[in-house]
Amino acid sequence: MTLPGSPYLAYKGADLYMDDVSLRDLVRQHGSPLYVYSRRAMLAALAPYQRALQGRSHLICYAVKANSNLAVLQTFAQAGCGFDIVSAGELARVLAAGGEPGKVVFSGVGKTRAEMRLAIETGVRCFNVESTAELEVLSEVASELGQRARVSLRVNPDVDAGTHPYISTGLKGNKFGVAHELAVNTYKRAAALPGIDVVGIDCHIGSQITEVAPYLDALDRVLDLVEAIEAAGVSIHHLDLGGGLGITYTDETPPGADELIAQLLTKIDARGHGHRELVFEPGRSLVGNAGVLLTEVMYLKPGEKKNFCIVDAAMNDLMRPALYEAFMGIVNTQQRGNDAAVETWDVVGPVCESGDWLGRDRQLNVQAGDVLAVLSAGAYGMTMASNYNTRGRAAELMVDGRQVWEVREREAVADLFKLEKLLPGA
Ligand SMILES: *Cc1c(COP(=O)(O)O)cnc(C)c1O
């Protein structure tokens, strides 16, 4: 069986390793639940983007919300990446990790004035603006600072990315972007505003996209717009084609980033836009299969209708199954030889919700005390974690070969209510 995350995640004998470290050993030393990421796997996921764009003016902006740990951001900053951020908090993380503000693009439908001010003062490269109302506020904020904000409009190409409704963003009914029909006029409006410099165009049609076709459709729609916008006298420098490339969780077969980009470049060149700078905003495809969530089996609870394998990680640690009914691979970090002992389990956490499951109907040979690995957990895992049920968030480790660094401490219970106050009086 080839695991998602291979070759950086693989069995050596009976034990599951990430790079050159045994995952079971990591739990012995650092406790459970535990997120572990491979720096090598991240850089290996980045490489096909870099290769495909070599020789072109381009910027790969890692989408911070997929995994915002400082060490992850540092890894990508050192590899030359820029960043796609959606809040002032993410901007602060990028700066703390050594990222360059001049390589940051700021996305999101609801940027506050304070966030705009901070981003302009910090010198971010571009705002991806999502509405006329936002454009006007941004122009005001920039003018107050005596500056002009560099802007690309996020256009909504109205294409179906064929993904889960919660992570599809390029359809008419979505809250994202400026409608295709309104884009030219919105660009004219932008160009006329005193605090705005138009520099590009942007689209991001969704996440976990496993086909090239929706990207090509969106690209055609965007290039149509670029031509119409330039005909109306507003010039466009860069094309930002967003992120969204999917990964293999189970049997998905997404194109490689190099294949996707090669096809996009062919169309861009054929339509005479080869001179433009290209921006991409990948998140999941850079980190998803570079991480696992390790969790210890606490109790086995066989039942009449279902067998429950109760583990110490829960929906608060990893929300994707509860939120999207997402499938994530689950394996034992120690293979037990005896196939006759394989049974069907629902892997569930301790949180008081029936939605608190990590995997359903999984074939596992498992005993209390075993350590399970939830696979493909490097993206939208820790960043979506919460303290529900007053559970401290997991620790995070980064490995590279034999080296292991703790890149976030386990959250202590005292931290969870240190901002709260009792009422005065008796
Ligand atoms: C979330 C997001 C991304 C990254 O999406 P992935 O599916 O993780 O690649 C890129 N751009 C924008 C605007 C986003 O909101």
Side-chain angles (χ1 to χ4, degrees):
M1 173 184 54
T2 311
L3 299 174
S6 142
Y8 304 93
L9 186 72
Y11 284 98
K12 295 187 185 172
D15 292 320
L16 187 62
Y17 278 67
M18 184 172 273
D19 287 17
D20 300 326
V21 293
S22 147
L23 293 176
R24 226 179 131 70
D25 285 350
L26 290 182
V27 163
R28 274 194 209 110
Q29 288 151 15
H30 297 268
S32 174
L34 187 64
Y35 274 101
V36 188
Y37 314 120
S38 160
R39 184 158 69 170
R40 290 182 184 178
M42 291 182 193
L43 294 175
L46 176 63
Y49 280 96
Q50 293 175 316
R51 253 194 327 267
L53 290 164
Q54 213 164 32
R56 298 250 174 182
S57 167
H58 75 273
L59 187 61
I60 301 164
C61 290
Y62 167 64
V64 173
K65 74 180 190 290
N67 184 329
S68 59
N69 183 283
L70 294 187
V72 172
L73 304 183
Q74 179 188 32
T75 297
F76 288 121
Q78 287 173 351
C81 289
F83 296 93
D84 172 53
I85 60 164
V86 293
S87 70
E90 288 189 348
L91 178 57
R93 282 181 177 277
V94 166
L95 299 178
E100 290 172 46
K103 291 183 175 177
V104 169
V105 299
F106 193 169
S107 301
V109 292
K111 303 174 195 79
T112 66
R113 281 173 189 261
E115 286 178 318
M116 292 172 176
R117 214 172 289 125
L118 189 77
I120 292 170
E121 285 171 343
T122 309
V124 303
R125 173 196 163 94
C126 184
F127 288 84
N128 290 337
V129 169
E130 304 222 12
S131 64
T132 309
E134 181 192 341
L135 204 50
E136 284 169 3
V137 170
L138 181 59
S139 176
E140 260 176 50
V141 171
S143 299
E144 282 161 21
L145 294 170
Q147 296 205 39
R148 293 158 77 91
R150 289 174 294 276
V151 158
S152 70
L153 291 188
R154 176 168 176 180
V155 297
N156 184 335
D158 193 25
V159 299
D160 187 354
T163 188
H164 188 285
Y166 285 11
I167 52 177
S168 173
T169 57
L171 279 167
K172 267 193 178 163
N174 296 137
K175 69 179 175 182
F176 297 100
V178 175
H180 192 85
E181 312 77 66
L182 303 177
V184 175
N185 277 333
T186 312
Y187 265 100
K188 285 201 237 166
R189 175 83 188 121
L193 286 169
I196 300 291
D197 266 341
V198 171
V199 295
I201 191 164
D202 167 48
C203 82
H204 171 72
I205 56 175
S207 198
Q208 185 54 16
I209 301 167
T210 54
E211 310 276 340
V212 176
Y215 281 101
L216 292 174
D217 292 349
L219 176 59
D220 263 325
R221 306 268 291 163
V222 167
L223 293 179
D224 291 347
L225 279 179
V226 169
E227 289 161 13
I229 293 159
E230 293 207 321
V234 181
S235 67
I236 300 283
H237 170 71
H238 76 251
L239 298 178
D240 180 340
L241 299 175
L245 179 59
I247 61 170
T248 301
Y249 286 97
T250 167
D251 54 4
E252 304 91 334
T253 52
D258 38 4
E259 185 193 334
L260 169 65
I261 290 174
Q263 293 202 38
L264 292 171
L265 292 179
T266 300
K267 187 179 282 291
I268 288 168
D269 291 346
R271 291 195 50 176
H273 294 267
H275 58 290
R276 298 189 191 281
E277 182 174 18
L278 297 175
V279 179
F280 287 90
E281 303 170 350
R284 187 190 314 267
S285 55
L286 295 186
V287 292
N289 271 328
V292 295
L293 173 62
L294 302 178
T295 180
E296 192 171 321
V297 176
M298 294 192 297
Y299 304 107
L300 295 181
K301 187 173 169 185
E304 233 170 76
K305 290 206 160 152
K306 283 262 180 196
N307 297 323
F308 292 103
C309 171
I310 300 168
V311 297
D312 66 358
M315 63 188 288
N316 76 293
D317 298 297
L318 181 62
M319 183 127 105
R320 297 189 68 259
L323 185 61
Y324 313 119
E325 301 199 357
F327 179 98
M328 310 192 63
I330 300 178
V331 297
N332 200 328
T333 59
Q334 185 185 33
Q335 277 179 325
R336 297 180 170 281
N338 175 14
D339 281 353
V342 171
E343 292 192 69
T344 304
W345 300 95
D346 274 18
V347 179
V348 302
V351 162
C352 301
E353 302 267 346
S354 292
D356 180 29
W357 54 276
L358 297 175
R360 287 178 165 155
D361 297 326
R362 301 305 175 85
Q363 303 291 308
L364 290 167
N365 182 349
V366 70
Q367 294 180 9
D370 284 359
V371 174
L372 302 184
V374 184
L375 310 181
S376 319
Y380 305 104
M382 185 63 171
T383 48
M384 294 175 100
S386 77
N387 295 122
Y388 189 39
N389 280 212
T390 307
R391 291 167 49 85
R393 278 172 293 177
E396 293 174 289
L397 306 182
M398 181 83 81
V399 303
D400 189 336
R402 286 173 197 288
Q403 280 182 290
V404 179
W405 298 277
E406 186 179 67
V407 294
R408 182 182 161 105
E409 285 175 36
R410 187 173 301 287
E411 219 165 25
V413 170
D415 292 338
L416 304 187
F417 52 83
K418 71 169 182 246
L419 301 177
E420 298 174 32
K421 292 184 176 64
L422 292 168
L423 296 174

